Amino acid sequence: MKQPVFSIDVDLVRGTFWNTVRVESTHRVIALVGASGTGKTSVLHAIAGLVRPTRGRIVIGGRCLFDSAIGIDEPAHLRRIGYVFQDGRLFPHLDVRANLLYGAPRRASGDARFSLEGIVDLLGIAPLLARRIDGLSGGELQRVAIGRALLSAPELLLLDEPLSMLDRKRKDELLPWLQRLRDEVALPMVYVSHSPEETARLADAVYRVD
Ligand SMILES: Nc1ncnc2c1ncn2[C@@H]1O[C@H](COP(=O)(O)OP(=O)(O)OP(=O)(O)O)[C@@H](O)[C@H]1O
C-alpha cells in the first residue's frame, strides 16, 4: 500500500474558534478549500509550527512534526518549510536579490533546485534581481516570494492564496510559473485557495475544510 504523504489530524483553537481537521493523502500536491474562517490558514500555521494544535498529529513525507500523544513538537525553524503568503511579505527597503538571499542558509544545500541560479532561472526573475521591491507588479512580487521560500531549501511548500491579491491578467501570468514550480521542484505542496480553477490546475487532490 502507498504510504501517505500527508497525515494530518489536529484540533485547532484560535480564540473562540475551534475545528478538527483531518487530511490523509498519498498525493504530493494537495489543495485545501472551504468557506472563509473555517481554519485553512490555521492548518498551514500548525504545519509550519506557528500555531500549536490542542491535540493531534502531523506527519508529512514520513516525518513527524507534531504528535501530542508522545510529546513531539518540532520547533518551527527546524521544520524545513517554505511559506508563501497572500501578500508576498517582502522587505520593501531591499532589492530583489537581497530579498531572495534573506534567510537563505549560509552554506549552499548542494541541491541545484535550491541554488540562487536554479531558482532565478525556474521563476524567470533574472531581469528583476537589481530592482527594488516597491516597483514590482503583484505577479513579479509573488515570484520573488516563492523564490525566497525555495532558497531556504525546504522539504515542503505551503502556499496561502498566493494569487488572491492579483487581478485576472496577473493570475493568468503566475499560474504557469506555479505549475512549473510544482513539476520541476517536485516538493510536497499544500495550496490554500478559494478558486476551483486554480486548485484544478495545480493540485492532485482537493480537501475541504468545513
Ligand atoms: N490569532 C487569532 N486569534 C483569534 N482568532 C483567530 C486568530 N487567528 C485566526 N482566528 C480565527 O480562527 C478562525 C479560522 O481562521 P483562518 O484564518 O484559519 O481561516 P481560513 O479558513 O484560512 O479563512 P480565509 O479563507 O478567510 O482566509 C477564524 O474565525 C479567525 O477569525
Side-chain angles (χ1 to χ4, degrees):
M1 208 178 79
K2 238 176 143 183
Q3 288 299 312
V5 178
F6 296 93
S7 181
I8 300 168
D9 172 10
V10 284
D11 289 351
L12 297 166
V13 176
R14 322 275 323 254
T16 56
F17 164 88
W18 66 271
N19 199 359
T20 298
V21 178
R22 296 195 181 95
V23 175
E24 186 84 10
S25 181
T26 55
H27 295 284
R28 179 174 63 80
V29 180
I30 64 170
L32 299 182
V33 302
S36 189
T38 49
K40 302 175 299 296
T41 296
S42 300
V43 176
L44 296 192
H45 283 190
I47 295 171
L50 306 174
V51 159
R52 180 180 295 133
T54 51
R55 180 210 61 83
R57 197 161 172 269
I58 301 173
V59 181
I60 297 176
R63 215 174 120 216
C64 183
L65 302 175
F66 179 82
D67 190 337
S68 59
I70 52 174
I72 294 179
D73 185 8
E74 190 158 14
H77 69 280
L78 298 179
R79 291 193 183 195
R80 309 277 310 265
I81 289 174
Y83 204 129
V84 178
F85 301 89
Q86 235 170 354
D87 55 1
R89 298 206 191 172
L90 297 164
F91 297 111
H93 61 291
L94 300 176
D95 66 14
V96 168
R97 180 191 295 274
N99 266 281
L100 286 170
L101 291 172
Y102 191 91
R106 250 169 243 143
R107 198 194 304 215
S109 69
D111 186 331
R113 290 178 304 169
F114 306 125
S115 69
L116 181 63
E117 299 69 34
I119 289 166
V120 164
D121 184 46
L122 173 84
L123 297 166
I125 51 182
L128 307 180
L129 282 174
R131 295 263 302 273
R132 279 174 62 90
I133 291 300
D134 46 18
L136 301 182
S137 74
E140 289 168 342
L141 276 176
Q142 281 304 52
R143 276 189 279 152
V144 176
I146 293 165
R148 185 177 62 178
L150 288 177
L151 264 164
S152 66
E155 292 177 356
L156 165 69
L157 273 182
L158 305 177
L159 299 111
D160 196 354
E161 302 191 55
L163 303 184
S164 65
M165 314 264 275
L166 307 182
D167 60 29
R168 181 74 248 171
K169 185 163 172 281
R170 302 293 182 202
K171 277 191 179 78
D172 288 341
E173 268 170 30
L174 193 55
L175 259 166
W177 294 104
L178 288 171
Q179 289 172 315
R180 192 165 178 203
L181 167 77
R182 173 195 64 194
D183 298 337
E184 295 187 20
V185 181
L187 289 172
M189 284 169 54
V190 185
Y191 190 88
V192 168
S193 175
H194 286 278
S195 156
E197 183 205 343
E198 282 170 37
T199 56
R201 284 180 64 178
L202 288 168
D204 303 322
V206 177
Y207 297 86
R208 180 160 285 281
V209 178
D210 287 313

